[in-house]
Amino acid sequence: MAIPELQQQLREFVAERDWQRYQTPKNLVMALTGEVGELTEIFQWLTSDESASVMNTPERAEHVRDEIADVLAYLLRLCDVLGFDPEAALAEKMTKNAAKYPVPVQLPESSV
Amino acid sequence: MAIPELQQQLREFVAERDWQRYQTPKNLVMALTGEVGELTEIFQWLTSDESASVMNTPERAEHVRDEIADVLAYLLRLCDVLGFDPEAALAEKMTKNAAKYPVPVQLPESSV
Amino acid sequence: MAIPELQQQLREFVAERDWQRYQTPKNLVMALTGEVGELTEIFQWLTSDESASVMNTPERAEHVRDEIADVLAYLLRLCDVLGFDPEAALAEKMTKNAAKYPVPVQLPESSV
Amino acid sequence: MAIPELQQQLREFVAERDWQRYQTPKNLVMALTGEVGELTEIFQWLTSDESASVMNTPERAEHVRDEIADVLAYLLRLCDVLGFDPEAALAEKMTKNAAKYPVPVQLPESSV
């Protein structure tokens, strides 16, 4: 499934519950913050190594998946309410980032 | 484009710059926080009404798109490093949410 | 009570539970994020007007006080672990901010 | 200096610039998020060990102090606008935490 279909599903979910009036861009940014906070709480006392094996514990894995799903849901809702395509925004940003952080030039072996 | 292709592009971008060693799940969660913070700064002094028309100013619109792209990029990287599909996680979470927040029963008009 | 005494109490609380090893600066920054996320969740769907009367509901007021206390606790712990005085840091920052945002010159009425 | 004096200074700073109308509780919570995001960006790619020596680099130390000062400033403003004393809130929360996380019973040596 592509991003527009996910957004369509979320839009219907919100409309069925009459939640549109709460989902202003400002409020959605705050909801995003709340979910990132919950995600952060899973990782805050883990070492970086422990964080890399967090999916090995089924209960913790489900918790991580749920929180990331919540972050993604609010992010997609925010783009939908603001009226732009997050995939296009990401493509443009990656072009900017590629210019900002050029790949180190790799000299061909023969030139060394 | 679907999410796996976006993740593939991001994976290559990171690999070309040899940034994998920095991108532990713990660090990526922090990077996500940083980008959500930048997004929040755009909206913090706006009223909810002003936030709804933020895309009408071209410069501000580009800023919003860029910050949301950064949030999405780190979110997709995090899922990639943790080894799960965010779309599947979102579908599962929406099923849980539908059970948690049932749609109010709509009585047919004739029954009133 | 001044800030150093609050930090002393927090230091003892942590030491009695042998939590020092978890409280690296990096981890404390994440803990701060988690608590700010919880605080944000209280305010995310409120209008700005509703947010201004949040302390009128006793249950909500206690929730706000608790979350702000948690944010303050981790902030004071972070300064303690990093070894600097937050009050001095705030005084220096206010001097910088006063230079960055000068007070608008108020002409005396007679000069208008 | 105690917390009420710091709040008094911040209150004057805001009043001189006529910023009160922007500083609703909801907006101040977002401003807090933005500053925690900036603080997080300093630490996100550091290991926990590197984070513990972040104050050894003068430029980085100043950056950390500035961002923590900003977090503290918005936190104190938020308490001021909401009309409660953060120190009292912290004392109450520590009492709750002490009950929630009791100190492990230390058996006297003779009983071992």
Side-chain angles (χ1 to χ4, degrees), chain D residues 105-112:
Chain D
V105 176
Q106 303 286 335
L107 294 180
E109 280 187 57
S110 59
S111 75
V112 178

Side-chain angles (χ1 to χ4, degrees), chain C residues 13-29:
Chain C
F13 189 93
V14 168
E16 283 164 1
R17 285 153 187 83
D18 203 20
W19 286 349
Q20 300 95 318
R21 60 196 148 143
Y22 297 112
Q23 299 205 346
T24 65
K26 184 178 178 90
N27 290 1
L28 285 165
V29 169

Side-chain angles (χ1 to χ4, degrees), chain B residues 22-24 26-38 40-41 43-48 74, chain D residues 22-24 26-38 40-41 43-48 74:
Chain B
Y22 297 113
Q23 298 204 348
T24 65
K26 185 179 177 89
N27 290 1
L28 285 166
V29 169
M30 293 188 85
L32 194 60
T33 299
E35 298 302 338
V36 169
E38 292 185 37
T40 298
E41 289 179 350
F43 289 92
Q44 65 195 12
W45 307 125
L46 303 184
T47 64
S48 269
Y74 282 127
Chain D
Y22 297 113
Q23 299 204 348
T24 66
K26 185 179 177 87
N27 290 2
L28 285 165
V29 169
M30 292 188 85
L32 194 60
T33 300
E35 297 303 338
V36 169
E38 292 185 38
T40 298
E41 289 179 349
F43 288 92
Q44 64 195 11
W45 306 126
L46 303 184
T47 64
S48 269
Y74 282 127

Side-chain angles (χ1 to χ4, degrees), chain A residues 22-23 27-28 30-31 33-35 37-38 40-41 43-46 48 74, chain C residues 22-23 26-28 30-31 33-35 37-38 40-41 43-46 74:
Chain A
Y22 297 112
Q23 298 204 347
N27 290 3
L28 285 165
M30 292 187 85
T33 299
E35 297 302 337
E38 291 185 37
T40 298
E41 288 179 350
F43 288 92
Q44 65 195 13
W45 307 125
L46 303 184
S48 269
Y74 282 126
Chain C
Y22 297 112
Q23 299 205 346
K26 184 178 178 90
N27 290 1
L28 285 165
M30 293 188 85
T33 299
E35 298 302 338
E38 291 185 38
T40 298
E41 289 179 350
F43 288 92
Q44 64 196 13
W45 307 125
L46 302 183
Y74 283 126

Side-chain angles (χ1 to χ4, degrees), chain A residues 9-68:
Chain A
Q9 289 189 355
L10 289 164
R11 199 181 305 132
E12 286 166 13
F13 188 93
V14 168
E16 285 164 358
R17 285 153 188 82
D18 202 19
W19 286 349
Q20 300 96 316
R21 61 196 147 144
Y22 297 112
Q23 298 204 347
T24 65
K26 184 179 178 90
N27 290 3
L28 285 165
V29 168
M30 292 187 85
L32 194 61
T33 299
E35 297 302 337
V36 169
E38 291 185 37
L39 181 64
T40 298
E41 288 179 350
I42 305 175
F43 288 92
Q44 65 195 13
W45 307 125
L46 303 184
T47 64
S48 269
D49 281 353
E50 288 166 348
S51 84
S53 58
V54 78
M55 303 306 283
N56 296 348
T57 318
E59 198 184 335
R60 223 175 222 175
E62 189 184 352
H63 193 182
V64 169
R65 291 170 65 98
D66 279 357
E67 297 307 341
I68 285 182

